[in-house]
Amino acid sequence: MHYPRLPLRRCASIPAAAVRGRAGLTRLRTSQALPLLQLQQLQLFPPRGRRHFAHSRAAMTTTTTTMTTTTTTAATPRFSSGVDEPAAVRALEPLLASAGLGGRWALVPGGEGLERSFRFKTFAKTWDFMTAVSLQCKLKNHHPEWSNVYNTTYIRWTTHNPKGLSAKDVELAAICDGIAKDFGEIVEEAGSGDGSSLKQVADRVVADAGSCCSPKK
């Protein structure tokens, strides 16, 4: 902060004891005296500066409080019509990463499906995994939305008609976990390798594929 320069002239002296408590002056000997000009230059926090500092600190406190109290609403499952919801919830809970029970699946935004990526050591292992999953799909008469690049496969389970999360989606998600373990899935830290690019590929294919769950005419 800028302070006007005062004309240099002889000023009255004030004993240091009178200014005891100022920053940097508490160790002065009581026999010392400081010119009034030097005391004016040592005003580290003038009234205007103190008000500005207090206002900034209050604003920072308000911002911190707001950030602390803000919470992110997690997705909740939206089951398709006809689903036994209590039973579906019991089967779904151990699959979800958010439940803290060792699951690795996540609900899609809107809660109408489950998604996660699987990573293996080689492409051959990945292809074997996908082949085994496809056989289960044939048996259950249901299929996923998925995409694959080299050793990683992204899978989304959802039902288009009636729209939502069905019992078959939950069941096949659990089956995928078991098959992946058999083929040596590489388990990564939560949040790493989320397969966002593979998810985008699946989204584009779904948009062009039409409805697969509707009865064929």
Side-chain angles (χ1 to χ4, degrees):
M1 184 175 295
H2 177 72
Y3 298 96
R5 296 180 61 85
L6 299 178
L8 297 176
R9 59 186 180 182
R10 296 182 62 84
C11 301
S13 296
I14 299 177
V19 293
R20 186 176 302 276
R22 291 289 186 184
L25 299 180
T26 56
R27 297 181 181 178
L28 292 178
R29 298 177 181 175
T30 55
S31 60
Q32 288 180 314
L34 294 175
L36 183 60
L37 175 60
Q38 294 182 21
L39 291 176
Q40 291 173 343
Q41 293 175 341
L42 287 173
Q43 295 288 330
L44 300 180
F45 294 103
R48 182 168 178 269
R50 285 197 295 270
R51 286 196 300 269
H52 179 73
F53 177 76
H55 176 74
S56 300
R57 186 172 183 179
M60 291 172 61
T61 303
T62 303
T63 303
T64 303
T65 303
T66 304
M67 292 175 63
T68 302
T69 56
T70 302
T71 56
T72 303
T73 303
T76 55
R78 294 185 60 184
F79 296 104
S80 55
S81 62
V83 172
D84 181 355
E85 293 195 14
V89 168
R90 288 193 298 271
L92 175 63
E93 186 176 9
L95 301 178
L96 296 176
S98 58
L101 300 175
R104 303 185 64 79
W105 293 87
L107 290 167
V108 301
E112 297 175 342
L114 287 168
E115 63 181 2
R116 91 169 179 95
S117 293
F118 296 84
R119 183 168 174 258
F120 300 89
K121 187 175 181 179
T122 63
F123 172 73
K125 286 287 186 181
T126 308
W127 190 258
D128 290 341
F129 164 75
M130 296 178 71
T131 301
V133 172
S134 68
L135 292 175
Q136 292 296 320
C137 294
K138 185 176 181 180
L139 292 173
K140 302 295 183 182
N141 194 27
H142 196 49
H143 72 87
E145 299 170 359
W146 63 1
S147 59
N148 161 256
V149 174
Y150 184 50
N151 66 341
T152 303
T153 298
Y154 164 80
I155 298 182
R156 180 195 297 135
W157 289 107
T158 187
T159 299
H160 303 130
N161 187 16
K163 189 174 181 62
L165 188 63
S166 68
K168 284 186 178 181
D169 295 321
V170 177
E171 181 184 6
L172 282 164
I175 290 174
C176 285
D177 286 345
I179 296 174
K181 184 177 181 180
D182 292 340
F183 284 98
E185 179 191 7
I186 299 174
V187 179
E188 299 178 322
E189 293 293 332
S192 63
D194 60 358
S196 59
S197 59
L198 296 178
K199 184 187 304 186
Q200 294 170 4
V201 172
D203 290 339
R204 288 196 298 269
V205 174
V206 168
D208 297 335
S211 178
C212 54
C213 299
S214 299
K216 302 296 186 292
K217 295 182 180 179

